[in-house]
Amino acid sequence: DQLVASRGRIFFGTFFSSLSGYVHRLRGYHSQKLKLLGWEDGELNGSYYFIPDDRKHHMLTYRSPKLPLYMMEFPTAWRRIDEGVNELGQ
């Protein structure tokens, strides 16, 4: 379910859901690999929370990690994760 949801054009999840959090992380990986709109800034266009209302657009702008961590994925989980791989192998 999470893999299918992660590839959709739009995703609505719930803020306190680990399923929604993982879908957002997968969408972040896809955004980096495919260089989707907002990828350079860690933004996930088309990713929303439908509840609570005040957090609906949290994934549309970059946010640094803050406590509690369990309820939300942050761009640091998917941004620049492959940087330096070539140097490590030498």
Side-chain angles (χ1 to χ4, degrees):
D1 292 344
Q2 290 167 316
L3 290 174
V4 172
S6 73
R7 298 303 296 218
R9 188 172 49 86
I10 296 175
F11 175 73
F12 282 90
T14 55
F15 190 74
F16 298 103
S17 165
S18 57
L19 182 141
S20 295
Y22 190 59
V23 169
H24 285 305
R25 181 181 288 212
L26 291 174
R27 290 174 69 82
Y29 294 151
H30 299 316
S31 75
Q32 298 294 293
K33 183 177 181 181
L34 302 174
K35 297 184 176 11
L36 300 176
L37 180 65
W39 74 276
E40 292 174 309
D41 298 321
E43 300 169 354
L44 291 182
N45 291 293
S47 294
Y48 304 94
Y49 293 113
F50 67 90
I51 55 172
D53 284 338
D54 64 327
R55 296 186 175 126
K56 180 178 182 179
H57 300 286
H58 263 43
M59 300 309 291
L60 299 180
T61 57
Y62 179 87
R63 294 177 185 279
S64 57
K66 62 181 180 179
L67 295 174
L69 298 173
Y70 73 91
M71 65 184 73
M72 185 177 162
E73 291 292 333
F74 297 93
T76 54
W78 60 79
R79 289 190 68 227
R80 302 168 71 177
I81 60 173
D82 292 327
E83 194 169 286
V85 170
N86 292 332
E87 292 82 14
L88 292 174
Q90 295 178 0

